[in-house]
Amino acid sequence: MARKKNDSPRQIDLTSFEFVAVCGSCHPGGGPAETDRGGRRYDDFMRERGYLPGGINDYDGDYFRSFWTRSGVLEADCLICHLPGYRFKERAEQIKRWNFKWAATAGGGLGKVLGSVKEGQSPKVIYDLKKFLPDGRFRPRFTREVPSKNCLFCHRRGDTLKRATAYLARDDVHLRAGLKCVDCHWAGSRAGDSRIFGRERHEIGKGDDPGGFVRDDLDGSVRPCLDCHGQGRYGAPKVRHLGLPLRHLEKIACQGCHVARRSIRAALIQEATVLNQSPEIRPPLKRVWSLYGPDGRPWNFFALFDLGNLTTSFDYAPEKGWYKGKIWPLNRVHTLWVGLKTADQEAIKPLPMKVIFGLWRVYFESRGRRYSELSRIVDDNKDGFPEVNRPEEIRAILSALREYYRPSEGERIVLVRDAAYTEDGSVWQPLFRFPWEASPYASTFKISHNILPARAALGAKGCTECHSFKSEFFYRPTLTDLWGRDGELLWEPNYKVLGYSHLAVWSGSLRQEILEPLLYYGTLVGLFLIGLSLVLWASPAGNKEAFLARASRRIFLLMVLVALLGPTVIVLLGRFLTPLAMARVALFHKLVAPLAVVGAFGVFLKMEDRGAGLYLALGLITFQAVTGLGLVFLQGANLRQILFTLHDLGAMAAMGAAAMAFMAWVFRRRPPEAP
C-alpha cells in the first residue's frame, strides 16, 4: 500500500482507491473501503479539501489519482453476509467499474446498474419494483445464520492460495457432515467465548494465524475442537485416542494429526523480481508475482482460479512446524523481492510493484536494447521460469532498478531472499524472523480446515505412521532456502524445521519400528519363560529358598516386577488404554522403580560373594535408573528421544536376562530322570 504522505508519484504504490477497485470484491465494505487513515469518509473529505477527481491531490496515498467524489465509497453491506442468493459477481463487476456506491444495490438484486465511472459515465439504476413494498421500503429475505456460500465467495480464493483449502466435501469430514462455517466461527449469543458472547457486535470467532494481525485480541475465539468432540455435540464422535501417550496431546495440535494430507496446491514461494510471462494473468500488474507450488514448481494460480481449475488433485503431506508450543500443519511462504533500505529505518520497504512491472515492460518493448543487463537472468534449473539466484543475476536486477527508479539520497535498493538481504549478490545480511517463519516479510499460514476422520488421521495405523524411517511427519522434504547458485532449491527433512536432531529422530524410528515390536513379542516370550519356570519351580527339585538364595536372581525378580507394574502393561495393553490411563500407569511405574533400585543396592551391599551375575543385574538396573531419571527430569526433546530408546533397550536386556536366569536355575536344579 502507498504511504499516506509522499513527495512524488514514483513513491506511490497501490493507493487506497486502487485497493478498493482491485481487492474490494472480497471485502464487505466499511473500514478502509469507506474512510481514510484519518477516519474521514473519502468522498466527503475530498469535496471538503477541494481535491480533483484524478488529480495528484498532495500526493496523498488515500487520494492520489482517485475518483471518490464520482465513485462513492464502499459502505458496510449487511446483505453480503445475511442475504441468501447474494449476487457476488454482479457486485464485483460494479467495483471493477468503479461504481463503488452502487455495488450493494447490484449485489442485493435491488436493480440493474447502468454506466461506469471508470468510463467517465454517471451510473443509473433501474430498480426491480418487485423487491419493494408499496410504500417504497425494501424488505429483504434476511437470515440470521450466515450461509456458508456467502462466506466462501471471499474466503475460498485466499484460502486456496494460502492453505490449499478449497472447502470441498471430498476433503473435509465436517463439510460431509453438513456443518456450516458459523457452527465453528460463532458469533453473538451463540458464541462460547466471553470475548464475543453477548449482544451482537458482529464479532466473529477466529483462529490464531501466525501471518495475520487483524483483531489479534480475538485470537483463538473460534469454537475449540473439544467443545464438540469432548461432549458429542452435533453427533460428533467423542475422542478417546486409545494408545496415544498424553504427551502427544500436549505437544501436537488436533490438526497436526487430522490434517494429514492436502489434495490441491498452495503457494509455497512468491517470487517478485522477474515478470511472469504465463497466460491469462489479470490485471497485468499481477505479472510481477510468480507463484510456485508445494513441489517448488511454477504454478499459474491466477489463471487457474479464474478458469475454475484449481481443484485438480495434487496429493501431499503438509509441512509441520511449532507455533505457540504445539506442532501444527503450516504453509511457510518463501519470498524473493526487491526493496528499499534506509539508514533510519530497520524495516525494508518493498519497491512499488509498478516499478518492477515498468522496468520489465521497457525491457521487453525495446527487445532487450534498454536495460540489457537483464538478459543475464536465465532459467538455471530449466523449470520454465527464470530465477534471480546467481550473484551476476542479482547484480543485474539491482543495477537495472537503480537506473530505472533512481532512489533518493539515503535509499538503497536491496534484494531480499527469505530472511537475508544483499546489495551486491555476494554479501548477505541476516534478518530477524520467528521460528515458524521462512521470512519476516512473508506470511506463515496455519492449516485448520480439510479435517480427516479418525480412521484416516496420522496414528490411526499405529505409532510407525510418524515414528518410522520413511515417515513424512519427520522425513518429508521441507523447503529451507530458495535457489542457490546452481538454481536448485534447498530441501531438508521436516525434523530439522521442528528442531530435532537426526540421531533423535533415528532413535525414535528405531524404537517404534524395530524395538517396540521386539519388546512386545519379547515380553510375551519372557513372561512365558518365567511362567514356565514358576511351573517347574513347584517340582520337587525346586523351592523358594533355593531360588532366592542368589542375589542376582533377587535383583532380576525386582526388575521383572517393576516392568510388570508399568511398561509391560503399556506395551501389551497400551492400544486399549486412553492417554490418561497410560499416564497413570507410567506414574505408578515411576513411583515403584525407585523402590526397586534401593532394594537392588540393598541386596548388593549385603552380599559378600559377588559373582558376574550380580554385577550384570546391578548394571542393568543402574542403567535403567539413569535413563529413567533422565526421562523424568530432562525436557529436551532430542535427548528424551535418545533416552527413551536406550531405556527400551535396557528393558529388553533386563527382561531377557531375567528370563534366562529363571530358566537356568530351573534346569540346573532338576534331578536326572530314573532309568
Side-chain angles (χ1 to χ4, degrees):
M1 290 293 294
R3 291 178 296 185
K4 176 70 174 172
K5 297 180 179 180
N6 302 279
D7 299 319
S8 67
R10 72 191 189 94
Q11 294 179 316
I12 300 175
D13 199 359
L14 190 71
T15 67
S16 297
F17 186 85
E18 290 172 321
F19 165 74
V20 174
V22 175
C23 305
S25 62
C26 282
H27 292 262
E34 183 180 3
T35 58
D36 64 15
R37 277 166 266 197
R40 298 159 299 208
R41 186 174 161 119
Y42 291 118
D43 48 358
D44 290 342
F45 184 77
M46 195 167 173
R47 293 189 189 94
E48 177 186 322
R49 196 63 181 259
Y51 284 159
L52 299 175
I56 60 173
N57 300 332
D58 295 332
Y59 300 117
D60 189 318
D62 288 332
Y63 296 96
F64 180 76
R65 304 294 189 202
S66 71
F67 294 83
W68 297 113
T69 50
R70 296 180 182 175
S71 67
V73 298
L74 274 184
E75 296 179 344
D77 185 359
C78 304
L79 303 182
I80 201 170
C81 292
H82 293 282
L83 182 66
Y86 189 88
R87 302 176 181 181
F88 290 96
K89 291 185 178 180
E90 294 187 24
R91 176 180 185 269
E93 181 61 28
Q94 296 306 318
I95 294 173
K96 185 178 178 181
R97 296 178 181 181
W98 297 359
N99 299 344
F100 300 158
K101 73 176 181 180
W102 292 272
T105 301
L110 278 70
K112 187 175 182 179
V113 181
L114 304 176
S116 167
V117 172
K118 190 174 184 178
E119 300 298 327
Q121 302 165 347
S122 297
K124 296 180 180 180
V125 180
I126 301 176
Y127 286 101
D128 182 355
L129 299 181
K130 292 182 292 185
K131 300 290 179 67
F132 295 85
L133 298 173
D135 61 3
R137 289 181 299 159
F138 172 55
R139 187 175 67 182
R141 296 179 61 190
F142 268 138
T143 177
R144 179 184 180 187
E145 190 175 85
V146 179
S148 295
K149 184 177 180 180
N150 291 39
C151 304
L152 295 182
F153 180 83
C154 297
H155 287 277
R156 189 191 301 274
R157 175 171 181 152
D159 284 352
T160 300
L161 173 66
K162 301 169 184 175
R163 302 176 180 86
T165 301
Y167 302 101
L168 302 173
R170 74 177 189 189
D171 299 328
D172 195 297
V173 67
H174 295 130
L175 292 179
R176 290 199 296 275
L179 269 69
K180 300 176 288 295
C181 300
V182 293
D183 289 328
C184 294
H185 296 276
W186 47 18
S189 59
R190 294 189 60 196
D193 191 287
S194 59
R195 292 170 290 177
I196 296 176
F197 176 78
R199 185 172 176 270
E200 183 59 70
R201 292 171 294 178
H202 284 89
E203 307 291 5
I204 301 173
K206 67 184 289 283
D208 177 10
D209 206 28
F213 302 98
V214 177
R215 294 307 304 268
D216 282 350
D217 58 312
L218 296 180
D219 278 352
S221 55
V222 69
R223 185 194 294 273
C225 302
L226 284 178
D227 192 73
C228 291
H229 291 283
Q231 306 174 37
R233 195 189 305 274
Y234 296 128
K238 293 184 180 180
V239 294
R240 300 187 67 194
H241 291 125
L242 298 180
L244 187 67
L246 188 61
R247 190 176 186 86
H248 286 61
L249 298 178
E250 295 171 347
K251 296 295 183 181
I252 305 176
C254 301
Q255 294 86 338
C257 296
H258 287 272
V259 181
R261 312 295 303 176
R262 309 306 284 163
S263 64
I264 59 174
R265 291 177 177 87
L268 179 62
I269 304 170
Q270 183 177 10
E271 199 274 352
T273 60
V274 180
L275 207 62
N276 190 336
Q277 298 296 300
S278 300
E280 303 295 332
I281 297 179
R282 301 186 184 90
L285 198 59
K286 286 186 177 179
R287 292 189 178 278
V288 171
W289 295 335
S290 296
L291 302 178
Y292 295 71
D295 56 351
R297 305 287 298 176
W299 176 46
N300 192 352
F301 167 84
F302 301 109
L304 291 173
F305 187 89
D306 291 339
L307 294 171
N309 195 27
L310 269 183
T311 55
T312 302
S313 294
F314 187 86
D315 180 70
Y316 65 101
E319 176 184 343
K320 302 296 192 298
W322 289 98
Y323 179 65
K324 293 188 176 179
K326 287 202 171 187
I327 294 176
W328 289 82
L330 302 174
N331 182 32
R332 301 189 314 148
V333 180
H334 297 253
T335 57
L336 185 72
W337 50 283
V338 181
L340 288 173
K341 186 85 173 70
T342 57
D344 60 338
Q345 288 187 345
E346 183 178 351
I348 301 174
K349 182 186 176 185
L351 209 58
M353 292 172 64
K354 297 173 183 177
V355 173
I356 307 294
F357 182 82
L359 169 68
W360 283 100
R361 183 173 60 182
V362 170
Y363 172 76
F364 285 120
E365 289 178 351
S366 68
R367 299 178 182 270
R369 289 188 293 272
R370 298 187 62 186
Y371 307 106
S372 58
E373 61 265 46
L374 295 178
S375 63
R376 300 175 198 160
I377 301 174
V378 297
D379 181 12
D380 293 306
N381 59 11
K382 310 303 180 187
D383 64 358
F385 276 43
E387 54 279 321
V388 177
N389 56 291
R390 290 179 287 112
E392 54 267 34
E393 293 176 319
I394 295 172
R395 287 191 287 270
I397 188 67
L398 294 178
S399 172
L401 282 168
R402 287 171 186 138
E403 182 182 349
Y404 180 82
Y405 180 70
R406 299 188 183 279
S408 304
E409 185 177 352
E411 291 181 332
R412 294 174 292 149
I413 293 182
V414 299
L415 181 84
V416 182
R417 185 179 71 190
D418 278 351
Y421 71 92
T422 182
E423 295 183 60
D424 58 9
S426 299
V427 179
W428 292 85
Q429 300 296 328
L431 297 167
F432 170 80
R433 66 178 172 188
F434 289 108
W436 54 80
E437 295 177 323
S439 168
Y441 292 98
S443 293
T444 294
F445 299 106
K446 267 174 31 183
I447 304 173
S448 295
H449 294 87
N450 289 20
I451 300 295
L452 296 177
R455 65 181 180 275
L458 287 176
K461 298 177 182 178
C463 302
T464 53
E465 279 205 83
C466 296
H467 299 283
S468 67
F469 296 109
K470 295 183 179 180
S471 159
E472 289 186 301
F473 191 97
F474 288 112
Y475 291 98
R476 170 201 191 276
T478 301
L479 183 63
T480 55
D481 199 3
L482 295 176
W483 305 278
R485 296 190 179 209
D486 58 356
E488 296 301 321
L489 298 168
L490 179 60
W491 303 85
E492 294 190 277
N494 203 156
Y495 67 75
K496 289 193 175 183
V497 175
L498 289 168
Y500 291 103
S501 69
H502 178 265
L503 179 59
V505 176
W506 181 87
S507 64
S509 300
L510 174 70
R511 183 178 70 252
Q512 295 296 340
E513 198 164 19
I514 298 175
L515 296 186
E516 286 289 344
L518 289 176
L519 191 57
Y520 175 79
Y521 293 107
T523 300
L524 291 177
V525 172
L527 290 175
F528 171 77
L529 293 176
I530 293 170
L532 180 62
S533 301
L534 294 175
V535 172
L536 296 173
W537 192 8
S539 70
N543 57 70
K544 179 180 177 181
E545 290 74 16
F547 177 79
L548 295 178
R550 276 291 187 94
S552 59
R553 288 197 287 267
R554 276 180 269 169
I555 295 177
F556 280 131
L557 183 60
L558 282 172
M559 296 174 71
V560 171
L561 290 174
V562 172
L564 286 172
L565 296 173
T568 302
V569 175
I570 293 176
V571 169
L572 297 180
L573 304 175
R575 67 193 67 184
F576 307 108
L577 300 178
T578 65
L580 186 57
M582 293 177 69
R584 288 171 177 167
V585 172
L587 177 61
F588 189 67
H589 173 67
K590 293 171 186 175
L591 295 175
V592 172
L595 299 177
V597 173
V598 171
F601 275 91
V603 171
F604 177 79
L605 293 174
K606 287 182 179 180
M607 297 301 298
E608 294 183 1
D609 183 15
R610 299 169 181 172
L614 179 60
Y615 281 103
L616 173 63
L618 193 68
L620 283 172
I621 203 166
T622 302
F623 179 84
Q624 290 301 88
V626 171
T627 55
L629 285 171
L631 288 171
V632 172
F633 294 106
L634 299 176
Q635 295 302 312
N638 285 312
L639 187 55
R640 279 186 60 85
Q641 287 293 326
I642 297 168
L643 287 174
F644 205 161
T645 302
L646 292 174
H647 200 67
D648 273 8
L649 281 169
M652 287 180 61
M655 184 64 74
M660 292 302 101
F662 274 53
M663 293 297 296
W665 176 82
V666 168
F667 287 108
R668 278 202 307 268
R669 295 287 296 171
R670 286 194 64 79
E673 294 188 7

